[in-house]
Amino acid sequence: MRVVLTGGGTGGHIYPAVAIARQCEADDPTSEFLYIGGTRGLESKLVPQEKIPFKSIDITGFRRKISTENIKTVVRFLKGVSKSKRLLADFKPDVVIGTGGYVCGPVVYAAAKMGIPCIIHEQNAIPGLTNTFLSRYVTTVAVSFEGSEGFFPKGKHVIYTGNPRATTVQSANRERGFASLGIPNDSSVVLIVGGSRGAKTINDAMIDMAPGLAEMKHIHFVYVTGDSYFDKTREEIRSKLGSIPHHLHIMPYVHNMPEVLAATSLIVNRAGASFLAEITSLGIPSILIPSPNVTNNHQEANARQLEKAGAAKVILEKDLTGDNLYQSIEQIMNDLKVQQLMSSHSKSLGKPDAANVIVEEMRRISKRS
């Protein structure tokens, strides 16, 4: 199967596309790919690292307020459609799949107009402008959250697939996760992470609650600060405690996140859709602190889905303090029944076969057996 992948801007759009490619390869090693991304997006760096052929178009997103920049965006969109048609004509894909971000707009629109079978995959509980626009043109709309189908009333065929990142973490080696942290395989691990770049409010809460965590010696706390916050956070914690205890691990970044997740007992995190797919696939209880700085406040909508199911506790950023985060961690980690119940509810939301479901739909619409 010849597949064009598109999506970008953030890892939350890029990594699901990569997961789909890996599932295609697992099913059929002769699969061929072309990834069309933005010249300015993170995908221009990440995708080549994944050894997937990459081509770019110049595109920006619409501003929600009236702005002359939107005129430039329309011009870039039209140019992007034209270039996408040339790239698609050269590659001759069996199917095109977009995983979100404004770069999907011209690529998927061009494919639909050329009569190429298309899928868009929506990661979030509330869809963004690009996927809402594209839903009326594509063959299939795939959603990550059950119940989100209703957001696409103009879609020809809307299905619940889950997020393909859920499949990626299923093969993660738990023992390697423990080994990479340098801790015993039977350890209880609380992972605290503010996204790939870190989050100042979560860092500040971690600093505030460090004295309390220092007393919880039966638990290993893994705190991922983000590169830009690492030195400051580590030094402030060292200043508060005199030294950093052996069970408090402060790291700028985790490169083997699936393996570390497999070793995690509780996670404190933002509520990006791909991350939620991973933790529910593994059945990890969570404390979620949605970022308020996202379109349509979609992270809170994502988090509330888990909270409603009993899989997570939600703390809004405006309410976050070191004290209430510490109390929430203590309440969950000191009660095995609560942990087990949250884990069970989390697992019930997981869709570990998501990548396979999406690839099967790709085969169906492309009429490739």
Side-chain angles (χ1 to χ4, degrees):
M1 186 161 57
R2 296 176 66 81
V3 181
V4 165
L5 306 154
T6 182
T10 68
H13 295 312
I14 302 161
Y15 289 122
V18 173
I20 291 166
R22 298 300 175 235
Q23 185 66 45
C24 288
E25 288 175 329
D27 292 352
D28 178 8
T30 68
S31 298
E32 295 182 60
F33 307 100
L34 173 64
Y35 197 115
I36 304 176
T39 54
R40 312 157 194 247
L42 190 60
E43 62 273 19
S44 64
K45 296 179 180 178
L46 294 182
V47 173
Q49 292 174 7
E50 297 288 339
K51 309 300 182 187
I52 297 174
F54 181 82
K55 297 288 185 180
S56 65
I57 59 174
D58 185 21
I59 184 68
T60 52
F62 279 101
R63 301 195 178 183
R64 291 180 176 267
K65 295 180 180 179
I66 295 174
S67 169
T68 56
E69 282 298 313
N70 285 340
I71 298 173
K72 295 178 182 178
T73 295
V74 170
V75 173
R76 290 190 187 106
F77 177 86
L78 295 174
K79 288 182 177 179
V81 170
S82 180
K83 184 173 181 180
S84 295
K85 285 183 176 180
R86 294 195 300 271
L87 292 171
L88 293 167
D90 288 343
F91 186 73
K92 298 179 175 59
D94 297 305
V95 64
V96 172
I97 180 159
T99 54
Y102 44 75
V103 71
C104 287
V107 180
V108 175
Y109 180 79
K113 289 299 181 182
M114 293 171 71
I116 302 169
C118 305
I119 299 176
I120 53 169
H121 181 266
E122 176 56 59
Q123 280 95 40
N124 294 304
I126 298 176
L129 287 174
T130 301
N131 277 352
T132 301
F133 163 73
L134 292 172
S135 64
R136 71 191 72 185
Y137 300 106
V138 299
T139 317
T140 300
V141 178
V143 299
S144 293
F145 288 89
E146 195 168 12
S148 294
E149 297 92 332
F151 284 106
F152 297 100
K154 295 183 180 179
K156 300 167 191 172
H157 182 53
V158 186
I159 59 171
Y160 164 58
T161 62
N163 188 306
R165 283 295 291 178
T167 304
T168 303
V169 299
Q170 279 297 298
S171 59
N173 188 302
R174 187 169 183 261
E175 285 69 33
R176 287 182 185 173
F178 285 120
S180 69
L181 297 171
I183 60 179
N185 286 355
D186 59 350
S187 301
S188 293
V189 174
V190 176
L191 176 65
I192 308 172
V193 56
S196 58
R197 293 184 177 88
K200 183 178 185 301
T201 50
I202 298 177
N203 281 308
D204 290 345
M206 177 62 186
I207 293 166
D208 288 344
M209 68 178 175
L213 299 186
E215 300 304 314
M216 298 173 70
K217 294 181 171 59
H218 60 296
I219 298 169
H220 283 269
F221 293 91
V222 179
Y223 188 58
V224 186
T225 63
D227 286 328
S228 60
Y229 296 106
F230 175 67
D231 291 332
K232 179 178 182 292
T233 302
R234 182 179 57 178
E235 290 312 308
E236 290 202 29
I237 290 175
R238 194 193 306 275
S239 176
K240 273 181 176 284
L241 302 181
S243 62
I244 297 175
H246 76 282
H247 66 289
L248 180 55
H249 311 263
I250 304 173
M251 309 168 68
Y253 190 79
V254 170
H255 293 279
N256 61 328
M257 185 59 80
E259 292 175 343
V260 171
L261 283 175
T264 295
S265 307
L266 171 69
I267 185 166
V268 179
N269 191 52
R270 291 300 201 187
S274 291
F275 222 95
L276 299 191
E278 293 170 359
I279 66 177
T280 55
S281 183
L282 293 169
I284 304 172
S286 55
I287 298 170
L288 301 176
I289 305 160
S291 171
N293 306 311
V294 294
T295 305
N296 295 331
N297 196 30
H298 67 251
Q299 282 207 6
E300 183 177 350
N302 295 348
R304 296 297 183 192
Q305 294 268 349
L306 271 69
E307 182 184 55
K308 184 179 178 181
K313 176 180 175 60
V314 176
I315 302 176
L316 297 182
E317 187 173 284
K318 65 182 179 63
D319 300 323
L320 178 66
T321 65
D323 185 55
N324 65 11
L325 182 55
Y326 172 81
Q327 289 179 12
S328 297
I329 292 171
E330 185 181 43
Q331 179 186 15
I332 295 169
M333 292 305 297
N334 286 342
D335 192 325
L336 185 59
K337 287 185 178 179
V338 169
Q339 283 183 58
Q340 291 173 338
L341 190 60
M342 290 181 73
S343 177
S344 175
H345 290 319
S346 177
K347 193 79 172 176
S348 73
L349 296 174
K351 190 78 169 159
D353 63 340
N356 184 62
V357 173
I358 291 170
V359 171
E360 284 301 311
E361 179 64 10
M362 290 164 62
R363 292 190 181 282
R364 184 189 73 81
I365 66 174
S366 66
K367 298 179 173 58
R368 293 292 295 262
S369 59

